[in-house]
């Protein structure tokens, strides 16, 4: 069983930045594709960013390209999401997710483990 714990959320003004962290348990962290999702108030959960097992490949939702950066440190069992130039529409609970084996990028259907989420609130 893998446990994921997010941190780093908070309240920021539009144009500000935050760095979210996701700490993973276990000794097989590098076997998992890691992705970030978010769910705003009254909205469906949506894909935000993903990173390959090695960290060599990343991919993003169009809405955050150029503003968000996902990274990972397999030696520390950590994945990060740097949020820059935040907009009010970025307000959401952000979740990290782990995918093992065959995966479908950007989809929630193949997520094996979810974190509890961390709140990001962006004021206008």
């Amino acid at each position: 069983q893998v446990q994921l714990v997010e941190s780093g959320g908070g309240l920021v003004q539009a144009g500000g930045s935050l760095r979210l962290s996701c700490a993973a348990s276990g000794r097989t962290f590098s076997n998992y594709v890691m992705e970030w999702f978010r769910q705003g108030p009254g909205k469906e959960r949506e894909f935000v960013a993903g990173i390959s097992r090695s960290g060599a490949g990343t991919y993003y939702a169009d809405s955050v390209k150029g503003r968000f950066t996902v990274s990972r440190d397999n030696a520390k069992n950590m994945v990060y999401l740097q949020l820059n130039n935040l907009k009010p529409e970025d307000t959401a609970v952000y979740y990290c997710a782990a995918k093992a084996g065959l995966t479908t990028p950007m989809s929630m259907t193949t997520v094996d483990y979810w974190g509890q989420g961390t709140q990001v609130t962006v004021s206008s």
Side-chain angles (χ1 to χ4, degrees):
Q1 186 176 18
V2 173
Q3 292 181 312
L4 305 173
V5 180
E6 302 97 331
S7 62
L11 174 64
V12 297
Q13 292 183 315
S17 298
L18 284 173
R19 190 194 195 199
L20 308 184
S21 299
C22 177
S25 67
R27 295 180 289 180
T28 58
F29 178 67
S30 62
N31 292 340
Y32 294 88
V33 172
M34 297 298 296
E35 295 184 339
W36 289 90
F37 295 81
R38 68 185 182 187
Q39 187 167 16
K43 299 179 180 179
E44 296 182 353
R45 191 169 298 187
E46 64 178 356
F47 168 80
V48 176
I51 188 165
S52 66
R53 292 173 174 87
S54 68
T58 59
Y59 46 100
Y60 301 89
D62 288 343
S63 60
V64 306
K65 285 181 179 178
R67 299 190 299 121
F68 292 5
T69 303
V70 63
S71 60
R72 69 190 295 165
D73 186 341
N74 286 346
K76 297 181 178 180
N77 281 19
M78 296 288 292
V79 62
Y80 307 96
L81 186 66
Q82 179 68 42
L83 316 177
N84 294 329
N85 191 24
L86 283 161
K87 304 175 181 180
E89 51 262 44
D90 295 320
T91 294
V93 176
Y94 284 71
Y95 301 88
C96 68
K99 296 180 175 180
L102 294 177
T103 66
T104 303
M106 301 179 285
S107 174
M108 295 182 292
T109 61
T110 54
V111 172
D112 292 297
Y113 302 99
W114 290 97
Q116 85 290 345
T118 185
Q119 176 71 48
V120 172
T121 303
V122 184
S123 62
S124 60

